[in-house]
Amino acid sequence: MKRLTLIIVVTVALYLNSFSQSNGTINLSPGQKYVVENKITTSSTSEMMGQTMESKADVNSTYKIEVKELKADNINFVNTITGMKMSVNAMGQDINFDSDKKEDMDGEMGKNFKDIINQPKDVVMDKSGNIILADNADTTSKTDGASSPTEMMMNQLGGDPARQGFGAKMAFEVIPKGSKVGNSWADSSSSNGTKKVTHYTVKAVNGNEYTIALSGTIESEIKTEMQGMQIETKTKGNFTGEEIVDTTTGVIKQNTTNTDASGTVNVMSQEIPTSTKVTSVTTVKSL
């Protein structure tokens, strides 16, 4: 039961933290280094076998990003996930993971992170903020389904780590040139069964720093297989948030997003109604 609850928590909550708009130009120089810290806090309620279950989860991840070179219209990075901490409380039981602890990395959960944490990865991003994958890119999407809740979580935490640029998609954003307070625009994204529409409004301008108000909708219909179980998740939700962007570089200094979503998880012939609240806070600092 504990493992099933963990699957529900990461399946529903972490599908809600991905995508960013792409419109404009990112301006970086070789040698620039950044640290990205992302904290996701979730609270969910599920109805299963006549019982109401409440779950909470905190996931903290840290990335280091280094600009290696500019080549044509692309930016070449070397990015590293340097740490991850996870704490889940479900049905009165605690599940914890800390990549800084050797015993955790040597355990069942840690084996899914050994090829990712503290392993520098080459990343190519164009100046519009799109990740460009090499033909031989090592992406988790090469497999049909995750083999554990931990691996599923990594796929859903903003998406496949490779396709998200190992932190780059959380660190950089571009806004239309010449935008002024009150200007608005929108974009939409669709990936792996999840659709997201985002509305942006310039809330304030302070020199090169733009404060952007965010709002939108997210809808997902996901089917996957894990440990022999067929899992189908249907979720709809709304989100609001705010971010501060340095328009000279495209660096997102801070982004805070709050999501309310509800839906169902079908697993082991059970349809489980679920509602989830997710808060994501990302900060980017120059080293």
Side-chain angles (χ1 to χ4, degrees):
M1 180 67 71
K2 179 174 71 173
R3 180 173 293 275
L4 178 58
T5 302
L6 176 58
I7 292 172
I8 295 169
V9 170
V10 299
T11 300
V12 175
L14 299 180
Y15 273 120
L16 307 179
N17 190 55
S18 62
F19 306 109
S20 64
Q21 77 123 357
S22 179
N23 180 17
T25 302
I26 295 171
N27 297 297
L28 301 173
S29 300
Q32 288 180 299
K33 298 179 181 179
Y34 300 93
V35 60
V36 181
E37 296 181 349
N38 176 242
K39 180 178 181 179
I40 297 176
T41 302
T42 75
S43 175
S44 64
T45 301
S46 301
E47 302 288 337
M48 186 163 60
M49 293 185 289
Q51 297 182 348
T52 299
M53 300 184 303
E54 295 184 355
S55 305
K56 295 183 179 180
D58 293 307
V59 180
N60 297 275
S61 50
T62 304
Y63 309 75
K64 287 187 178 179
I65 296 175
E66 180 178 357
V67 182
K68 297 302 291 184
E69 66 174 345
L70 307 181
K71 192 171 182 180
D73 292 327
N74 296 335
I75 305 167
N76 294 349
F77 299 93
V78 173
N79 297 350
T80 308
I81 301 176
T82 59
M84 179 169 289
K85 296 181 180 180
M86 180 175 69
S87 175
V88 177
N89 179 275
M91 296 183 67
Q93 300 190 44
D94 294 321
I95 304 168
N96 297 290
F97 173 80
D98 185 346
S99 65
D100 290 336
K101 296 181 178 180
K102 184 178 184 300
E103 60 269 29
D104 286 2
M105 287 298 291
D106 290 340
E108 180 181 353
M109 297 180 72
K111 67 182 181 181
N112 298 298
F113 294 126
K114 287 185 179 296
D115 292 336
I116 298 177
I117 293 179
N118 289 318
Q119 300 296 321
K121 305 292 185 180
D122 292 325
V123 174
V124 179
M125 171 186 276
D126 68 23
K127 292 183 179 181
S128 294
N130 302 305
I131 300 299
I132 301 173
L133 291 174
D135 292 338
N136 60 348
D138 181 16
T139 67
T140 56
S141 60
K142 288 181 179 179
T143 58
D144 292 333
S147 60
S148 72
T150 310
E151 189 174 349
M152 177 181 285
M153 182 190 68
M154 285 301 296
N155 289 340
Q156 297 160 354
L157 245 173
D160 175 0
R163 296 183 184 278
Q164 294 301 311
F166 297 94
K169 291 289 283 185
M170 289 189 290
F172 305 106
E173 178 105 285
V174 284
I175 63 176
K177 293 181 180 180
S179 294
K180 300 178 181 179
V181 173
N183 287 168
S184 299
W185 64 96
D187 72 2
S188 60
S189 303
S190 180
S191 177
N192 298 326
T194 300
K195 299 178 181 178
K196 188 173 183 180
V197 177
T198 306
H199 300 275
Y200 305 83
T201 300
V202 179
K203 189 175 178 180
V205 177
N206 182 14
N208 295 322
E209 290 188 0
Y210 279 50
T211 300
I212 310 296
L214 309 171
S215 64
T217 59
I218 186 167
E219 182 176 352
S220 66
E221 186 170 343
I222 309 297
K223 294 181 181 180
T224 188
E225 181 178 338
M226 187 174 66
Q227 297 179 332
M229 293 186 294
Q230 296 287 335
I231 303 173
E232 181 178 2
T233 305
K234 295 181 179 180
T235 306
K236 291 184 179 181
N238 299 286
F239 63 90
T240 59
E242 185 174 288
E243 64 184 12
I244 299 174
V245 181
D246 182 346
T247 57
T248 59
T249 58
V251 171
I252 302 172
K253 289 192 169 184
Q254 182 167 310
N255 176 296
T256 301
T257 305
N258 295 292
T259 303
D260 274 307
S262 61
T264 59
V265 177
N266 277 296
V267 58
M268 297 175 64
S269 299
Q270 297 183 62
E271 184 174 273
I272 304 168
T274 304
S275 61
T276 304
K277 295 181 181 294
V278 181
T279 297
S280 174
V281 179
T282 303
T283 58
V284 182
K285 297 179 181 178
S286 177
L287 294 177

